[in-house]
Amino acid sequence: MSSAQTPRPVTVRDIRDRKGKEPIVVVTAYDVLFGRLVDQAGVDIVLVGDSVGNVVAGFSSTLPVTLDHMIYHGAAVCRGVSRALVTVDMPFLTYQIDTQSALANCGRLIAETGAQAVKVEGGSERIAATVARMVEIGIPVMGHLGFTPQSVNAIGVRVQGREAAEAERLIVDAKRLEDAGAFAVVLELMPTGVADRITKSVGIPTIGIGAGAACDGQVLVLPDLLGLNDAFAPRFLKRYANLSDTVRDAVRAFGDDVKQHRYPSADQSF
Ligand code: KIV
């Protein structure tokens, strides 16, 4: 492909400009192979989520995920992506303690992975102040409100914002993140009406997961979208493939070929 045909990399400005115009497509990826495939499929943002802890490492939450895990997976994804905007999650306790350590940690994530942006959970005054400092030193930040998995022990896995006061707090938090300079915000597990109110209250794009159709974009965890995880079937999930059957069938077929001496054949040998 000549340089004239090479698609221009997606920037945070492109993402901001899409609000209210064209829906933004986000999927997670954790390695170079899927990073390359989802980039070739034309997604706008590849999120290296700390969901890597659940879906790749088999942890029961995202809490054990470390900065080094995120750097390893973020760098692998970046080696496969040439167009989409790569955003890497800041894991638990790498940005909540104080702004100084948050800046050092997000600096490492950007410098050592090649990603263009980071994502943090929560919208308190303290988090917003940290986001503002990250943005000030030139690091684009995506927010994350609603069900925030790093707070699972405090809030449980449940839809957020059902009560009026909770919904109001989410709107305040979203505005606070916008004021701090976040370029977009993920809204996870909340009633459609609340996501709609947030989307209309802020000038930055909202990216929904289990938050209905009113958001400016949607994100899904890739192994869920591909049907690689039989055990996870929340109401909001739509599986676009059934790869767990495909994988089992392919590996069974390989096993049968080996046992029946059909693989390798003569023309596959040296
Ligand atoms: O870690 C992750 O994959 C996420 C998405 C669910 C938004 O934060």
Side-chain angles (χ1 to χ4, degrees), residues 215-230:
C215 298
D216 298 300
Q218 296 291 329
V219 55
L220 280 178
V221 168
L222 189 64
D224 299 341
L225 177 167
L226 295 177
L228 268 168
N229 185 358
D230 298 333

Side-chain angles (χ1 to χ4, degrees), residues 28 30 47-52 62 89 119 121 144 149 186 188 209 219 221:
T28 67
Y30 314 102
L47 174 65
V48 186
D50 59 356
S51 52
V52 67
T62 59
D89 259 338
K119 176 165 80 59
E121 296 182 5
H144 185 155
V186 168
E188 180 163 0
I209 176 163
V219 55
V221 168

Side-chain angles (χ1 to χ4, degrees), residues 167-207:
E168 291 308 322
R169 187 180 49 75
L170 287 170
I171 294 169
V172 169
D173 286 357
K175 286 185 181 158
R176 208 183 270 135
L177 288 172
E178 178 184 17
D179 290 345
F183 72 91
V185 58
V186 168
L187 304 181
E188 180 163 0
L189 274 193
M190 63 179 69
T192 305
V194 177
D196 186 32
R197 286 180 62 200
I198 296 174
T199 301
K200 289 182 174 132
S201 303
V202 295
I204 54 173
T206 57
I207 312 290

Side-chain angles (χ1 to χ4, degrees), residues 134-147:
M134 291 173 176
V135 172
E136 189 181 52
I137 63 168
I139 296 180
V141 183
M142 181 184 270
H144 185 155
L145 298 173
F147 172 63

